[in-house]
Amino acid sequence: MPFTRVEVAVLSLLEGQLCVLLIKRKEAPHKGLWGLPGGVLRIDLDATLEGAAQRVAQERLGAKLPYLKQLIAVGSKTRDPRSPWALSVVYRALIPITSIEPLPGKRIEAIRWAPAHEFDVDQKLAFDHQALARSALAATKIEIDELKLPVGFLPDTFTLTELQTLCEQLAGRALDKSSFRRKLKDRMMVEPVEGKFVGGANRPALLHRLKPNLD
Amino acid sequence: MPFTRVEVAVLSLLEGQLCVLLIKRKEAPHKGLWGLPGGVLRIDLDATLEGAAQRVAQERLGAKLPYLKQLIAVGSKTRDPRSPWALSVVYRALIPITSIEPLPGKRIEAIRWAPAHEFDVDQKLAFDHQALARSALAATKIEIDELKLPVGFLPDTFTLTELQTLCEQLAGRALDKSSFRRKLKDRMMVEPVEGKFVGGANRPALLHRLKPNLD
DNA sequence: TGACATAGTGGCTTAGTGCAACTAACATGT
DNA sequence: ACATGTTAGTTGCACTAAGCCACTATGTCA
């Protein structure tokens, strides 16, 4: 049976920039290199694959990861020098802007938020984690293009401009305000929270929330 | 390490109907039940996950499966009674209309082509194979809606009507002729083979082929 | 030569999108 | 009080893409 792991690409927004969480490896192989957080599947501890991803995130980062989405499984003889056959199931997580900062845990020397644009150029990450991170970013872009709202990133209430700015970060391009709002309205994806406004020295914005269980 | 398998949902067209290949299990567990063909990942034999799917298909069906696409990995403690932890990586294959008929191989009592509509209603398949087959059909529908041509099904040359009929089978609904052809033309996905026609007692159709490496 | 069947095209309508201009509502400075 | 600046939110318009449907084209066969 193969050496089986789960890896997690954790995405968040820092200062308006979409970033991927990288960890600096404390042990061989690839000691000192940056990579995605991950860990071995423990058949004694984990009930499901997603549960394994949750446990690994808890151990490595001290953080619970809502809205996990499985991206792909990769496996081959040569992926990992520790084993003659290495299989990894890769998950993506979106964590809210206001979320607590993950901290380095087991076997991690440091963590770092790598801006998305770093992955446009080649960099040396551990194993095949460069490709995995890229596919996590690409998958997220596609979801935004399909107007799947980034539920994991959203606070309970938000303004439409905040939502649009968030989607623009994830999609990596500017979106049209009127089109964006038309789509939200037509598909009834959000609803205003009556009488709730926020604003500075200008017109206040009406707060909205997600409509329940509608995609 | 978990008990790791690959499963394959093989799709083909029989008499114009989209079908999924099912095998009748010769051994426990679920002996006598129908399920998807699959087998254990062999780290001594398989170089990659996709290679494992190929090997399993060869052993079970005596057929080579081009155009494999990974759908998902599923795993939990309770999926398979043979093991305290079972992980399966699921692939989908499209095999051409003119392809050779798969034959029952190792540990298979019989094979059967189950029409797609059978999966609309609940039926008793082995393990969670009902859900896996459904997700293979759904993924294929989505690809057609996005006008990803079903390369695995296509002969070298074909008429546009043949292509449309094929897509209609996969999508499960009728498509508009002029829209369909406009899209093919606009995106330059196919090209006519000059001077090649086929036809019966009516206007002959111009044969086309896929344009190379364009999606 | 005309009926018939299938291939292939074009015209109309409607829906969705991007672009840009417009109005609305707030704070602030004079 | 009122002009100004800034952001919120709306509206109109042109363009594109899609579905619907009718039309023309080209073969066989009686």
Side-chain angles (χ1 to χ4, degrees), chain A residues 75-116:
Chain A
S76 79
K77 283 189 169 178
T78 54
R79 278 193 67 243
D80 189 326
R82 278 169 292 186
S83 159
W85 229 100
L87 174 64
S88 281
V89 181
V90 186
Y91 282 84
R92 184 212 56 192
L94 301 178
I95 69 173
I97 311 171
T98 56
S99 173
I100 46 162
E101 185 86 354
L103 293 172
K106 276 171 67 177
R107 290 176 209 164
I108 294 179
E109 191 176 319
I111 73 164
R112 175 168 88 86
W113 289 101

Side-chain angles (χ1 to χ4, degrees), chain A residues 111-125:
Chain A
I111 73 164
R112 175 168 88 86
W113 289 101
H117 60 76
E118 282 190 20
F119 297 88
D120 295 339
V121 296
D122 286 345
Q123 50 181 348
K124 282 166 250 152
L125 294 191

Side-chain angles (χ1 to χ4, degrees), chain A residues 5 8-9 13 15 75 131-132 138 146 153 156 160 179 195 198 211:
Chain A
R5 300 172 46 88
V8 187
L13 284 173
E15 295 155 19
L132 300 183
E146 292 172 348
F153 275 137
D156 286 347
L160 295 185
S179 298
V198 290
K211 279 222 180 184

Side-chain angles (χ1 to χ4, degrees), chain A residues 161 177-178 181 201-203 205-206:
Chain A
T161 303
K177 181 164 65 165
S178 71
R181 289 171 184 225
N202 44 40
R203 176 172 175 174
L206 191 48

Side-chain angles (χ1 to χ4, degrees), chain B residues 32-72:
Chain B
L33 268 190
W34 295 91
L36 297 178
V40 179
L41 176 71
R42 290 280 303 272
I43 64 174
D44 51 341
L45 296 177
D46 303 316
T48 64
L49 275 175
E50 187 164 325
Q54 289 287 0
R55 178 187 54 77
V56 165
Q58 188 69 48
E59 288 180 4
R60 294 286 193 273
L61 310 170
K64 187 163 177 292
L65 300 177
Y67 310 107
L68 280 174
K69 179 192 158 95
Q70 188 190 120
L71 293 179
I72 195 177

